[in-house]
Amino acid sequence: MSQFQTPDLPYAYNALEPYIDEATMKIHHDKHHVAYTTNFNKALENYPKLAEKSAEEILSQLNSVPEEIRTAVKNHGGGHVHHNFFWEIMAPAGQGGKPQGELLKAIISSFNSFEKFKEEFTTAAMTVFGAGWAWLSLVDGKLIIEKTSNQDSPYSLGHQPILGIDVWEHSYYLKYQNRRAEFVENFFNVINWLKVAEKYQANK
Ligand code: MN3
């Protein structure tokens, strides 16, 4: 049974150029993401009851996942969910809108200004040691910036991410090598703020 699928990218592999290159997107989606999904399904193979839930739900109840598959679910389920999420919250430059309306107000009220938010989010992304993610998440209706290691998930903490950046080296190394700062700066050109706003509205 293969319950979970790797969705196609919602745009072409080269759609995020020049900020994120086609080769990186191809390997990242077709190899890394597909492997997470495959291994997530494999972990759930003998647990059909679990596989009926949404992947986010499974991650949010990680402690009730049988111990023998918990680590696999955390790593591969996390990888599956986070990559679905990551493709969604990006869009070709200029097509993702701008933070505005209620979302912008919430960002300003939590971080003082959009610029300050960007600075703090960038610092979080830069200070993930090794592999992991930086997130903008909702916790009890309040926006926070947080980091997770590997594929550990904000969902497992009861948080609702609305924006996230993958700072595993596979996410940028082909184009940027060790220049993570440049990748993070350029990521801001391809954020799909319309989608982020949608997630904010759905979870606030
Ligand atoms: Mn990745």
Side-chain angles (χ1 to χ4, degrees):
M1 186 180 69
S2 81
Q3 158 93 6
F4 294 104
Q5 310 283 334
T6 304
D8 291 338
L9 289 178
Y11 34 72
Y13 291 108
N14 64 1
L16 307 181
E17 298 257 12
Y19 305 110
I20 303 182
D21 60 295
E22 180 173 8
T24 297
M25 289 300 287
K26 231 176 152 52
I27 295 170
H28 200 171
H29 177 273
D30 294 4
K31 304 295 181 195
H32 292 278
H33 189 175
V34 166
Y36 287 122
T37 307
T38 303
N39 289 318
F40 184 35
N41 285 324
K42 212 176 279 176
L44 297 175
E45 224 162 37
N46 298 317
Y47 301 85
K49 270 266 172 280
L50 210 48
E52 284 168 12
K53 298 181 178 180
S54 78
E56 288 83 354
E57 208 179 338
I58 295 172
L59 289 179
S60 71
Q61 302 160 3
L62 198 57
N63 286 333
S64 66
V65 169
E67 207 180 334
E68 58 273 24
I69 59 165
R70 197 176 300 154
T71 299
V73 165
K74 179 174 74 153
N75 291 340
H76 303 296
H80 168 74
V81 164
H82 298 158
H83 288 86
N84 288 355
F85 181 101
F86 191 47
W87 314 134
E88 259 198 305
I89 56 85
M90 295 192 289
Q95 289 182 27
K98 285 185 173 146
Q100 52 190 345
E102 257 190 80
L103 172 62
L104 181 60
K105 269 190 214 150
I107 287 175
I108 292 171
S109 111
S110 301
F111 306 102
N112 293 322
S113 65
F114 179 76
E115 288 64 36
K116 198 88 184 74
F117 154 73
K118 186 178 172 185
E119 200 181 301
E120 283 184 38
F121 185 85
T122 299
T123 299
M126 289 305 297
T127 54
V128 171
F129 183 73
W133 295 72
W135 307 94
L136 175 64
S137 302
L138 275 163
V139 185
D140 301 326
K142 197 179 166 349
L143 287 174
I144 62 155
I145 290 168
E146 62 184 335
K147 309 185 262 189
T148 57
S149 291
N150 303 312
Q151 299 297 355
D152 291 1
S153 188
Y155 292 109
S156 302
L157 302 168
H159 301 172
Q160 293 292 333
I162 64 169
L163 174 70
I165 182 170
D166 183 348
V167 292
W168 282 59
E169 283 187 344
H170 69 225
S171 189
Y172 61 88
Y173 208 86
L174 276 184
K175 181 178 170 72
Y176 293 98
Q177 290 85 46
N178 63 326
R179 303 187 306 280
R180 190 193 286 187
E182 207 179 305
F183 166 65
V184 175
E185 175 67 30
N186 281 342
F187 169 73
F188 273 86
N189 293 308
V190 293
I191 294 176
N192 186 348
W193 285 108
L194 301 171
K195 186 53 84 176
V196 177
E198 222 174 84
K199 289 182 182 294
Y200 175 73
Q201 288 301 333
N203 293 292
K204 70 177 180 169

